[in-house]
């Protein structure tokens, strides 16, 4: 039986990844900063699934000890980030210590205990910065305009370093903007889920700037399937964009939501944010040619699925 560890397992992507991986004959070690993050996930599991899971709580910082965590593990999923694009410029030094140094210590432990593969969830939305050529492929230069993107690209380079010098296999997934079930609708990430939640509750949605910012949105089921397929693909390519390859402005998103949900939407406008890249659409040619030729859930269907989940989960 394969042993897989997920760092940051209690979050949005981690929860969906756990539920997906449990369909395979594996043992999961799930790690997050406190037991509270696992409470909901625990309710989703049956007795047989719980037998194949070890829960572990741990803070993540430069003093974290990873030896006991990675020992006897085949694959490590690194989903942790202590910050978000919107807040990442607030305390850059602190965030670099918490994310980059912590990751370096993790990778040193992986080398020591011969972990087969490390999977890092990077950010297709921030590492590229202000690209002129859209859609953006993996060969594009990376000049992030917020420290979140700088952290992500630095960790990518650390993985390359440990692969080159010590043979540590890895996969980097530059993910676009995932949305869907188990994403917190009242957080500071996930515009699609947050907007749907507010719309269903009759609350205004907040738009920064004029709504012209363009993003590539991917439904969480497609994102998780894509991540796992990248990990399982027998190929020497380490880096992949993962999105739908389609872009929608915030105002386009509002129009699709209004038509799909058939609800009037109140909008509040706030000042434009410097941390927001104006346009980001990922070129997924590499993924389609190496991993799989796929068809993604379209935005309208994803909005419908997310709305159905939110109505049930939050009793809206």
């Amino acid at each position: 039986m394969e042993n897989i560890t997920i760092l940051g397992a209690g979050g949005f992507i981690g929860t969906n990844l756990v539920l997906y991986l449990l369909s395979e004959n594996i043992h999961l070690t799930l790690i997050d900063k406190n037991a509270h993050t696992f409470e909901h996930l625990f309710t989703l599991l049956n007795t047989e699934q719980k037998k194949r899971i070890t829960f572990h709580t741990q803070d993540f910082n430069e003093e974290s000890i990873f030896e006991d965590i990675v020992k006897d593990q085949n694959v490590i999923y690194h989903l942790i980030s202590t910050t978000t694009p919107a807040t990442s410029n607030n305390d850059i030094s602190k965030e670099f210590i918490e994310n980059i140094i912590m990751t370096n210590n993790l990778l040193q432990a992986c080398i020591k205990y011969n972990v087969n593969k490390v999977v890092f969830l990077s950010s297709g939305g921030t590492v590229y910065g202000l690209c002129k050529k859209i859609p953006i492929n993996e060969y594009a230069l990376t000049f992030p305009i917020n420290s979140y993107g700088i952290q992500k690209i630095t960790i990518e380079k650390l993985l390359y370093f440990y692969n080159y010098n010590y043979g540590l296999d890895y996969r980097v997934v530059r993910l676009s903007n995932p949305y869907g079930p188990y994403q917190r609708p009242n957080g500071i990430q996930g515009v699609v889920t947050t907007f749907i939640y507010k719309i269903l509750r009759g609350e205004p949605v907040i738009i920064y700037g004029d709504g012209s910012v363009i993003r590539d949105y991917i439904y969480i089921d497609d994102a998780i399937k894509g991540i796992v397929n990248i990990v399982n693909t027998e190929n020497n390519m380490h880096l992949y964009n993962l999105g739908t390859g389609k872009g929608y402005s915030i105002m386009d998103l509002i129009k699709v939501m209004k038509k799909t949900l058939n609800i009037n939407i109140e909008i509040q406008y706030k000042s434009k944010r410097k941390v927001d890249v104006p346009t980001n659409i990922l070129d997924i040619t590499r993924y389609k040619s190496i991993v799989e030729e796929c068809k993604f859930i379209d935005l309208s269907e994803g909005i419908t699925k997310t709305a159905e989940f939110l109505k049930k989960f939050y009793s809206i």
Side-chain angles (χ1 to χ4, degrees), residues 13 79-90 92 95-96 99-100 120-127 144-155 175-176 189 275:
I13 295 175
L79 311 182
I80 304 168
S81 179
T82 64
T83 186
T84 68
T87 63
S88 65
N89 293 353
N90 294 343
I92 297 175
E95 290 158 3
F96 278 22
N99 293 281
I100 296 172
F120 176 59
L121 203 65
S122 188
S123 171
T126 64
V127 298
I145 62 171
N146 55 53
S147 72
Y148 181 86
I150 295 173
Q151 292 169 38
K152 293 291 189 180
I153 201 68
T154 303
I155 292 172
L175 187 63
S176 62
Q189 276 189 294
V275 296

Side-chain angles (χ1 to χ4, degrees), residues 3 102 167 171 182 215 295-297 300 305 313:
N3 294 319
M102 180 275 292
R171 296 293 181 273
Y182 307 115
R215 292 291 181 269
K295 181 179 181 181
F296 295 109
I297 292 172
S300 181
K305 288 177 176 289
F313 190 79

Side-chain angles (χ1 to χ4, degrees), residues 87-117:
T87 63
S88 65
N89 293 353
N90 294 343
D91 192 343
I92 297 175
S93 296
K94 179 175 180 289
E95 290 158 3
F96 278 22
I97 291 171
E98 290 178 341
N99 293 281
I100 296 172
I101 295 179
M102 180 275 292
T103 299
N104 182 69
N105 294 344
L106 166 67
L107 298 180
Q108 287 181 334
C110 289
I111 294 298
K112 182 177 180 179
Y113 288 101
N114 299 310
V115 170
N116 294 349
K117 188 179 296 181

Side-chain angles (χ1 to χ4, degrees), residues 156-296:
E156 290 185 20
K157 300 303 183 185
L158 276 174
L159 284 160
Y160 175 83
F161 169 83
Y162 279 100
N163 172 262
Y164 181 84
N165 286 282
Y166 304 103
L168 177 64
D169 194 9
Y170 72 95
R171 296 293 181 273
V172 169
V173 182
R174 289 179 177 170
L175 187 63
S176 62
N177 296 266
Y179 68 95
Y182 307 115
Q183 186 173 37
R184 287 197 309 163
N186 54 352
I188 54 178
Q189 276 189 294
V191 64
V192 176
T193 304
T194 299
F195 277 14
I196 295 171
Y197 179 74
K198 288 183 176 295
I199 292 167
L200 293 177
R201 289 168 55 90
E203 300 174 1
V205 300
I206 297 173
I207 292 179
Y208 295 94
D210 60 2
S212 62
V213 168
I214 296 173
R215 292 291 181 269
D216 180 349
Y217 301 103
I218 183 170
Y219 189 66
I220 188 61
D221 288 0
D222 289 332
I224 295 300
K225 181 182 177 182
I227 292 168
V228 175
N229 285 343
I230 287 169
V231 174
N232 293 335
T233 297
E234 294 296 330
N235 190 278
N236 292 327
M237 190 65 69
H238 296 289
L239 170 65
Y240 294 87
N241 283 342
L242 181 58
T244 66
K246 297 179 180 179
Y248 293 85
S249 71
I250 297 296
M251 295 310 299
D252 289 336
L253 181 60
I254 292 291
K255 291 176 183 178
V256 176
M257 287 184 175
K258 185 174 182 179
K259 181 178 180 181
T260 302
L261 301 175
N262 194 27
I263 300 176
N264 289 326
I265 301 173
E266 180 184 351
I267 300 173
Q268 290 183 358
Y269 291 92
K270 291 192 175 183
S271 300
K272 179 182 177 181
R273 302 180 299 189
K274 292 192 71 174
V275 296
D276 291 329
V277 175
T279 302
N280 184 274
I281 305 170
L282 298 181
D283 184 332
I284 56 172
T285 301
R286 178 179 294 180
Y287 177 86
K288 286 188 172 183
S289 62
I290 295 177
V291 182
E292 66 165 350
E293 181 64 43
C294 54
K295 181 179 181 181
F296 295 109

